[in-house]
Amino acid sequence: MSEPPDIHPVAVIGGGVAGIAAAVGLVSRGIPPILLESRPYLGGRVRSFVHERTGDEIDNGQHLLMGCYHGTFRLLETIGTRNLIRLQPTLSVEFRDADGRRSLLHAPNAVPSPLDVLIGMLRLQTLSLRERAALVRIGLALMVRTPRAEETVQEYLVRHGQSTNTQQRIWDPIAIATLNTPTRDASALLFANVMRLAFLGRGDDSHLAFPRAGLSRLLEPANAYVAAHGGSIRLGTTVTSITEHVEGSQTRYEIGVKDGPPIVARTIIAALPERALRPLLPAGSPPVSRLPADGAMGYAPIVSLYLWYDRPLTNLPEFAALIGTNVQWMFNRRRIDGSQNDMFPGLLSCTISAAFEESATAIELIVATADRELRGAFPEMAGARLMESQVIKEKQATFAATPAAQRAREGTSMHHGGFVLAGDWTTTDLPATIEGAVRSGWRAAMAIQS
């Protein structure tokens, strides 16, 4: 039986990655949703914009994908933008010390996964033979045992014989980038899940993937896709309240919106951060009881930098992990996306995850420190002049992936009657990643009865 014209079968609240995945998943099943997003664009934090002074399209923050992001690639394939992602032919990561010393983790093509990753790690000359042997030990542990629930990444690594040197050179760059939480605080359970997914999988799961266009261009076609399949998306629509009404065996939800009449739906997929969702719900309502306890999930910042130089930096690698510096990762944007700008030939983007100190630091100091560290790590930059910069501070970029936060997530119910939760903070078994958000959206869409 079709719904009355003024009642929508499903309303998706939030047009970030999880909301987009949910809406696309619904229309793929023949269920037409209405998606409500307060911003004038889709994607949430995953977006790009044109930098006014240089004219370059830059992202709100650098996102690195991996071959194991199967849900993400499925979404992009569905809306027609999978071609904008370039996947490495094999896993290859360059490391640079603060003084310019170089090492390379390169997984051989001729060896099947996951042995190729292990061989690549065992070839790292910056590790001693004993340290390389310990990598085998932790690899076996990841395959057969689950970390303790309250264990931190640092505790887990020490328990499995990983030296301070190995932690600084291998595990810290990976763990901090993926969990956005210092290893002394981060959940070993989430770390192990990431390692298994990325490095103990098959095929090209461990290969890194790079967007060849601004992040907004990856997701914008979702609007047309949803509309073409019977759904609708309303941008610039701020939700102010969600009220549940029970009528016998039927439930409907009245969604209050700013500057407009309420929207009524039989089912809601709430694809908002829990801190944004909580104020929309009446105290004591059943959906509130399914959320983590108020304050149970802390948040962690990310600082992203864009630095423009007066000459092409084609002699720098496409990207590199930096060791012993504040800047953790460098991405050579001109080499990655093939863009050109005669006025600003060189463009590097840098990320600082778990940037608790940097998020409170003056922008001028962040830029000066990053420029100095890059010149030390990359002697190839000698003579290049810094022309322009942009610093983006996301003070609540992701939830802090601590054991306490993971415990709070595990108590969260995805589904209550006609109210379904989605978002990277829900029970995805992953940290706050694009893949976690996409998986939550797909799962929410599958929970809806047609």
Side-chain angles (χ1 to χ4, degrees), residues 56-57 86 210-214 318 332-340 347:
D56 278 307
E57 184 180 29
R86 177 171 59 83
F210 304 93
R212 297 189 293 115
E318 281 193 327
N332 192 338
R333 293 293 292 252
R334 300 287 187 226
R335 288 197 58 186
I336 289 172
D337 60 24
S339 63
Q340 295 182 344
L347 173 56

Side-chain angles (χ1 to χ4, degrees), residues 85-320:
I85 301 292
R86 177 171 59 83
L87 190 66
Q88 280 184 320
T90 187
L91 174 65
S92 185
V93 181
E94 182 166 328
F95 297 84
R96 288 288 184 112
D97 281 77
D99 62 2
R101 285 180 296 168
R102 176 180 179 271
S103 57
L104 183 67
L105 191 164
H106 184 79
N109 265 330
V111 180
S113 298
L115 291 178
D116 58 341
V117 178
L118 180 59
I119 290 172
M121 288 185 171
L122 292 177
R123 288 176 174 174
L124 285 169
Q125 297 302 309
T126 51
L127 303 182
S128 69
L129 289 174
R130 184 174 182 177
E131 289 169 333
R132 282 179 261 175
L135 291 175
V136 178
R137 187 187 316 163
I138 198 168
L140 293 172
L142 286 167
M143 293 175 68
V144 300
R145 288 192 294 275
T146 300
R148 300 162 185 163
E150 297 302 315
E151 198 168 24
T152 68
V153 172
Q154 190 175 78
E155 291 167 343
Y156 179 77
L157 294 173
V158 170
R159 182 159 67 88
H160 290 286
Q162 304 302 292
S163 69
T164 300
N165 182 53
T166 303
Q167 291 182 52
Q168 291 175 342
R169 292 186 169 279
I170 300 294
W171 300 122
D172 284 1
I174 295 172
I176 295 173
T178 54
L179 277 66
N180 192 31
T181 307
T183 56
R184 66 178 180 274
D185 302 319
S187 164
L189 279 171
L190 284 176
F191 171 75
N193 289 347
V194 170
M195 293 302 100
R196 290 171 183 145
L197 183 69
F199 300 121
L200 297 180
R202 295 292 182 265
D204 55 12
D205 281 0
S206 66
H207 301 190
L208 302 180
F210 304 93
R212 297 189 293 115
L215 294 174
S216 290
R217 281 196 271 169
L218 293 180
L219 300 174
E220 280 172 353
N223 199 331
Y225 182 88
V226 170
H229 290 78
S232 61
I233 292 178
R234 285 177 49 176
L235 301 177
T237 302
T238 300
V239 173
T240 57
S241 63
I242 303 171
T243 306
E244 183 182 61
H245 298 279
V246 180
E247 304 165 344
S249 61
Q250 295 289 320
T251 301
R252 62 182 175 85
Y253 294 89
E254 184 176 285
I255 305 164
V257 297
K258 186 177 180 181
D259 301 327
I263 295 167
V264 181
R266 289 295 180 193
T267 304
I268 282 181
I269 294 178
L272 296 171
E274 57 89 20
R275 66 184 185 275
L277 175 59
R278 193 182 303 275
L280 304 180
L281 298 166
S285 67
V288 168
S289 67
R290 300 305 192 268
L291 299 179
D294 195 9
M297 300 187 72
Y299 290 85
I302 295 176
V303 171
S304 302
L305 299 88
Y306 291 87
L307 304 172
W308 284 265
Y309 291 89
D310 67 347
R311 64 196 61 188
L313 299 172
T314 53
N315 53 348
L316 268 64
E318 281 193 327
F319 75 105

Side-chain angles (χ1 to χ4, degrees), residues 379-401:
E380 305 96 309
M381 291 179 62
R385 181 172 63 88
L386 179 63
M387 301 177 68
E388 187 59 72
S389 63
Q390 175 74 50
V391 174
I392 301 169
K393 296 182 179 182
E394 287 279 357
K395 294 189 176 182
Q396 293 186 324
T398 70
F399 68 86

Side-chain angles (χ1 to χ4, degrees), residues 18 54 103 190 220-221 249 258 287 317 358-359 365 371 373 375 422 444:
T54 66
S103 57
L190 284 176
E220 280 172 353
S249 61
K258 186 177 180 181
E358 289 81 4
S359 64
L365 182 56
D371 181 54
E373 290 179 343
R375 293 178 190 277

Side-chain angles (χ1 to χ4, degrees), residues 346-367:
L347 173 56
L348 305 180
S349 68
C350 306
T351 58
I352 307 174
S353 299
F356 293 94
E357 180 178 340
E358 289 81 4
S359 64
T361 299
I363 287 174
E364 295 78 8
L365 182 56
I366 293 174
V367 171

Side-chain angles (χ1 to χ4, degrees), residues 17 21 66-78 197 434-440 442:
V17 173
M66 298 192 72
C68 59
Y69 280 24
H70 302 302
T72 302
F73 291 134
R74 176 187 168 196
L75 173 63
L76 299 181
E77 188 74 41
T78 301
L197 183 69
I434 289 177
E435 178 67 7
V438 171
R439 289 187 180 195
S440 78
W442 286 130

